[in-house]
Amino acid sequence: MSSGLTQRRRKGGAGDAFDVHDATPGASTDSVSIPGFGDSSRRNSSQEIADDYNSVSNFNGNRESDDDGAKGKQNKLTLMEEVLLLGLKDSQGHLSFWNDNISYVLRGCILMELSFRKRIATVQEVRKRPYSERLLQVIDERPTGDVLLDEALRMIKTDSQSIASWIDLMSGETWNLMSFNYQLKQVRERIAKGLVDKGVLRTEKRNFVLFDMATHPVADFSVKEQLVQKTVDCLLGRGPAPTKQLVAMACASYAANVLENALVGLNHTQREQAFARVDEMLQTWATMGEKAKQAGCDDVMAGVLGVYTKMDSLL
């Protein structure tokens, strides 16, 4: 298992963009400090861990409820925003130029987010197909208030396609000329601008010798620190049982080759443990195992994660 996981990470893009410094070998897995965020204190007590989760909930509350106030809605991070935030370089404000997986993964995150908000579901058929091949339908046409989600919702309403097909179509991976209008454009940039509106990122223009590009460095480091901490706690088995949103974020980050960025403060043994845990979660939830069912996994989430298991970066 260890050698396989190491091989996968060598092929991913995240490791090319970030320097990974191992902590002292033999360090305790009960206490992890995350460098670069201004908080080096060790978190040893269960009360401190619980406080972290309560703090994170201000930005990532229960997405299944649409009755929260406007301020609460504005501060919540969507699944796509969490994955993108983990992948961004803090000061440079852009993703690794070698990462060609995150765009595809983000389309799957859009489907899972719509499912969490109870806007889409799979069509119930007598013949049971594999989860990734099940057809999608809109069950609630109300706008979500998120431009990307609403655009995807309108697309799904117009056609009957499987989960895997919708991810391909929204990514532009199709030979059918009649289906090019289903492609979602500038997804990463639009997600980043949403994070700018929430005060998590800021916008700067940087020169890259041959061209200028808008970048989005981190403006509120506390948000990313909390996101990293809850990811580490989940993968090291600390804190409360992970919600389906947290599992979806960890698995999507793994498939997008950005999970390594959340584990830079761990030593080698802890990183291997974290990668083994997320690999197990991905396989269990993609097949909707018993634990996944009990935690609220649905057909859409299982289908998207099933597509992720077949990506080249994880094979």
Side-chain angles (χ1 to χ4, degrees), residues 221-235:
F221 284 92
S222 66
V223 177
K224 186 165 186 178
E225 178 186 3
Q226 293 163 8
L227 177 61
V228 168
Q229 188 64 58
K230 73 170 184 175
T231 304
V232 169
D233 289 344
C234 170
L235 298 182

Side-chain angles (χ1 to χ4, degrees), residues 60-65 79 82 112-113 116-117 230 242-251 285 295 301:
N60 188 34
N62 187 350
R63 298 190 183 99
E64 296 180 0
S65 173
L79 179 58
E82 289 178 331
M112 288 193 287
E113 184 71 31
F116 295 157
R117 300 188 186 206
K230 73 170 184 175
T243 63
K244 62 182 179 181
Q245 289 89 348
L246 182 52
V247 171
M249 185 272 292
C251 292
W285 286 67
M301 182 175 177

Side-chain angles (χ1 to χ4, degrees), residues 39-160:
D39 181 12
S40 59
S41 60
R42 292 185 177 273
R43 304 166 183 263
N44 295 315
S45 68
S46 59
Q47 181 61 44
E48 287 176 332
I49 293 173
D51 291 343
D52 281 344
Y53 278 88
N54 292 334
S55 179
V56 170
S57 66
N58 292 330
F59 277 86
N60 188 34
N62 187 350
R63 298 190 183 99
E64 296 180 0
S65 173
D66 288 322
D67 300 326
D68 297 330
K71 183 176 180 181
K73 287 184 179 180
Q74 182 181 5
N75 285 340
K76 290 179 183 177
L77 298 189
T78 65
L79 179 58
M80 305 87 72
E81 289 171 339
E82 289 178 331
V83 174
L84 184 77
L85 184 58
L86 278 183
L88 283 175
K89 298 182 180 183
D90 293 348
S91 57
Q92 291 93 329
H94 61 81
L95 298 163
S96 168
F97 293 122
W98 309 109
N99 191 332
D100 57 356
N101 294 319
I102 191 168
S103 292
Y104 189 82
V105 169
L106 287 173
R107 269 68 174 187
C109 291
I110 290 174
L111 296 184
M112 288 193 287
E113 184 71 31
L114 285 172
S115 175
F116 295 157
R117 300 188 186 206
K118 301 190 181 302
R119 296 302 196 274
I120 62 173
T122 55
V123 177
Q124 299 301 311
E125 299 176 292
V126 176
R127 180 174 66 90
K128 293 297 183 181
R129 313 186 191 199
Y131 293 114
S132 61
E133 297 178 12
R134 297 187 182 183
L135 302 178
L136 285 179
Q137 63 178 342
V138 175
I139 59 175
D140 187 346
E141 299 179 8
R142 290 180 300 160
T144 65
D146 183 284
V147 177
L148 269 176
L149 294 179
D150 290 340
E151 184 177 344
L153 192 62
R154 289 192 297 270
M155 288 182 182
I156 297 172
K157 182 183 175 181
T158 63
D159 202 352
S160 179

Side-chain angles (χ1 to χ4, degrees), residues 107 151-152 154-161 165-174 176-185:
R107 269 68 174 187
E151 184 177 344
R154 289 192 297 270
M155 288 182 182
I156 297 172
K157 182 183 175 181
T158 63
D159 202 352
S160 179
Q161 299 283 348
S165 295
W166 274 120
I167 297 177
D168 287 341
L169 291 172
M170 291 191 295
S171 301
E173 297 189 7
T174 176
N176 187 350
L177 297 178
M178 302 299 294
S179 299
F180 278 132
N181 59 319
Y182 289 141
Q183 182 180 2
L184 288 176
K185 298 179 174 62

